[in-house]
Amino acid sequence: MNNSGLVLSVFFGVVLSFFSHIAVAQNCIEQASDFKFITKSKQQGLLRFENEHSHQPFNYHAALPFDDYLSYAYQHINKANPRANIPCPVITKTYQQLIAQGKRKLDPTIADIIAPFELTYPNSNKVALLIHGLTDTPFTYHDLAQVYYQQGYTVRTILLPGHGSAASALLNVKISQWQQAIKYAVERSVQDFDEVILAGYSTGAALLIDYVTKQPLSSKVKALMLYSPGSEPHNKQGWMAKWIDAIPFVNWIDKDADVDFAKYESFPLNAATASYDAMSLASIGSLSKRPALKLPIFSVLSDIDTTIDTRATLKLLSALHKGNSIKYKPLDTLVLYGSTDILPTGFTSDYTVSNPQCTTQQCKKIHGISHIAVVNSPQNPHYGVNASYRNCGSFINDEPLYKTCKTTKNPQLGERTSANLKQYPALQRLTYNPHFTELKIQISTFIKNVEHVQGK
């Protein structure tokens, strides 16, 4: 090679090294708003598949300390998640406290943000165990964790198997794996604390309902709290997923960009099957064959949830309430967003129901509370009012609307009902709860009431 060729080679090497560094340095926030990257990732499935790695399953034995589980889960995410080490400066109050407790580093990566955690309240004998939903991660609870912590509770979260890496991890997951993880987390928490509150979001809620009604429950478990609880899928053809999945090379319902670091956007058929199985185990039909649940229940849901059938959820809550003890029935609480016309006849006769109303102009512009919005604060740095991430999965097969949803300066926000999509063609699915401040008070009131009754 002559001198000029050597110079050019060095020059292009430096240039390639520079651009390679830029690509690596790009953080989770920038990726969520980079439409060129979003488009490329959606088309090529850049973030849809796990890293190849040797998978060593955790031995979910209740004798194993929770710290061992947390260490395992963190290491698994780092091995399996293709973006695990990308910088992710999404600093929530919970993350700040985890730093102060020596459990997270100052400059977080995606792995640090989404990994399960234990937020320790000093000298507390109480714990809130929080279970995330299908396609989610423990980041789901970064906002709600603060509510429990402020009530004097240590907060624990777990990572359901098949989560925390990439959507392909759900291609072969089974409900039995989720049940095993929940059994460990509950039993370990009962060993470690005197008072336990169980809380679940969506499929996580269905899994908890199944668990607490299947076997004798420790008296240390004081309450069950459900956020957008999974009862029946809004799509009544969910039972067909496992049969369609059996067709060779037909594995996916949705193939999206997966730039949401905290939640899969692509969705395998097998995930729908496993979720449907979880909801079937928590159905009225299944529960009718088990002893009635004697536990105070707190629930939050939207009247126009397009993921879960709200009417089915209300019937399920009514059945659980009917079998509850006289001691706990007055504590059962429902926070319902939207119209109360959806409530079954007689539901409110001895059930505490709260129906928050919009009082600000910003809230009044929102077209209904979505399934995924209830758990997030408007101040959430990833899902809140000023976040760069936008949920536009309604339009993955319509490129013009997908682009408009992702890039417009004035997005319309709400639940993706057919009526809303007809009126607002590029609707961004709402990812935060405009009533979150009020919800914090409602949760705190419920917990205080439970503690008062349980203390008698």
Side-chain angles (χ1 to χ4, degrees):
M1 181 181 293
N2 58 33
N3 288 339
S4 61
L6 179 61
V7 170
L8 285 173
S9 177
V10 172
F11 172 77
F12 283 116
V14 171
V15 170
L16 288 173
S17 176
F18 172 78
F19 282 108
S20 174
H21 172 73
I22 291 298
V24 172
Q26 188 179 44
N27 66 40
C28 66
I29 297 174
E30 292 167 346
Q31 284 188 342
S33 57
D34 183 342
F35 189 70
K36 288 184 179 179
F37 177 78
I38 292 170
T39 300
K40 184 177 180 181
S41 183
K42 183 161 75 78
Q43 292 173 346
Q44 300 180 17
L46 300 180
L47 307 176
R48 197 172 298 144
F49 300 92
E50 278 192 306
N51 292 334
E52 292 186 10
H53 66 291
S54 56
H55 180 66
Q56 297 294 328
F58 183 74
N59 179 12
Y60 290 104
H61 192 285
L64 293 175
F66 196 67
D67 281 345
D68 286 5
Y69 166 74
L70 293 177
S71 177
Y72 159 80
Y74 185 80
Q75 292 174 20
H76 171 73
I77 292 169
N78 271 291
K79 289 180 181 178
N81 191 312
R83 292 195 295 168
N85 295 311
I86 288 180
C88 196
V90 178
I91 311 299
T92 62
K93 178 66 174 177
T94 291
Y95 194 84
Q96 291 173 350
Q97 290 175 321
L98 290 171
I99 292 174
Q101 294 182 8
K103 298 174 181 178
R104 290 291 191 271
K105 56 194 179 188
L106 284 172
D107 300 314
T109 61
I110 284 178
D112 294 306
I113 296 294
I114 67 173
F117 59 87
E118 178 175 277
L119 183 62
T120 304
Y121 194 92
N123 304 313
S124 175
N125 66 346
K126 305 184 294 186
V127 67
L129 175 63
L130 315 181
I131 311 297
H132 69 77
L134 181 64
T135 74
D136 299 314
T137 65
F139 182 79
T140 294
Y141 287 111
H142 270 234
D143 294 335
L144 284 175
Q146 289 302 300
V147 188
Y148 294 101
Y149 187 82
Q150 289 163 12
Q151 297 300 308
Y153 285 76
T154 286
V155 180
R156 280 182 173 178
T157 63
I158 64 169
L159 183 72
L160 292 176
H163 294 79
S165 55
S168 66
L170 292 176
L171 287 169
N172 298 300
V173 75
K174 297 178 181 178
I175 183 178
S176 59
Q177 295 172 279
W178 296 343
Q179 291 172 314
Q180 188 180 38
I182 285 177
K183 184 175 186 293
Y184 163 77
V186 175
E187 292 182 358
R188 184 68 253 180
S189 295
V190 165
Q191 288 184 47
D192 294 339
F193 297 87
D194 294 334
E195 298 178 36
V196 180
I197 286 179
L198 302 177
Y201 164 67
S202 195
T203 300
L207 290 166
L208 279 179
I209 292 171
D210 174 51
Y211 176 84
V212 299
T213 56
K214 256 186 178 173
Q215 61 263 302
L217 199 60
S218 169
S219 60
K220 291 184 177 182
V221 178
K222 304 300 184 182
L224 179 64
M225 304 186 73
L226 312 171
Y227 300 94
S228 296
S231 54
E232 290 182 15
H234 201 273
N235 181 351
K236 298 306 178 185
Q237 307 306 315
W239 61 273
M240 295 177 61
K242 65 179 179 180
W243 303 109
I244 299 173
D245 194 31
I247 302 173
F249 308 111
V250 180
N251 299 318
W252 299 88
I253 296 175
D254 292 329
K255 292 181 178 181
D256 208 336
D258 292 299
V259 293
D260 184 349
F261 67 82
K263 180 181 178 73
Y264 302 153
E265 295 177 315
S266 296
F267 193 66
L269 279 158
N270 184 67
T273 298
S275 181
Y276 182 83
D277 289 344
M279 287 186 273
S280 296
L281 289 174
S283 67
I284 292 177
S286 295
L287 298 182
S288 65
K289 302 171 187 176
R290 307 175 194 173
L293 179 62
K294 310 296 184 182
L295 209 60
I297 301 174
F298 178 93
S299 306
V300 188
L301 55 147
S302 169
D303 68 329
I304 57 170
D305 188 323
T306 59
T307 300
I308 298 297
D309 185 336
T310 301
R311 286 182 170 82
T313 301
L314 291 170
K315 290 178 181 178
L316 175 60
L317 293 177
S318 184
L320 290 170
H321 178 72
K322 184 178 180 180
N324 213 344
S325 65
I326 296 175
K327 180 180 180 181
Y328 296 141
K329 275 188 177 183
L331 297 176
D332 284 350
T333 301
L334 169 66
V335 178
L336 175 65
Y337 300 124
S339 174
T340 56
D341 291 344
I342 199 171
L343 290 170
T345 303
F347 185 90
T348 60
S349 59
D350 62 347
Y351 211 113
T352 301
V353 178
S354 176
N355 182 227
Q357 301 297 313
C358 283
T359 57
T360 66
Q361 286 302 311
Q362 184 180 48
C363 180
K364 291 177 180 179
K365 291 179 180 179
I366 292 172
H367 311 295
I369 308 300
S370 76
H371 175 82
I372 61 176
V374 298
V375 294
N376 298 314
S377 164
Q379 282 72 52
N380 187 287
H382 180 55
Y383 290 130
V385 175
N386 297 316
S388 58
Y389 173 73
R390 296 184 179 188
N391 187 304
C392 298
S394 303
F395 313 109
I396 55 175
N397 297 316
D398 190 320
E399 290 298 330
L401 289 179
Y402 189 83
K403 182 176 182 180
T404 299
C405 177
K406 287 287 188 181
T407 61
T408 181
K409 293 182 179 179
N410 299 299
Q412 297 287 338
L413 306 176
E415 180 58 297
R416 55 185 183 186
T417 63
S418 55
N420 278 342
L421 292 175
K422 183 177 181 180
Q423 189 169 357
Y424 311 104
L427 181 84
Q428 176 186 333
R429 199 178 192 193
L430 184 69
T431 52
Y432 66 86
N433 186 347
H435 305 288
F436 195 81
T437 298
E438 189 173 353
L439 178 61
K440 290 192 294 184
I441 297 171
Q442 292 158 338
I443 293 172
S444 300
T445 299
F446 173 77
I447 291 174
K448 289 175 182 176
N449 288 340
V450 168
E451 291 179 339
H452 176 71
V453 171
Q454 297 276 13
K456 288 183 177 179

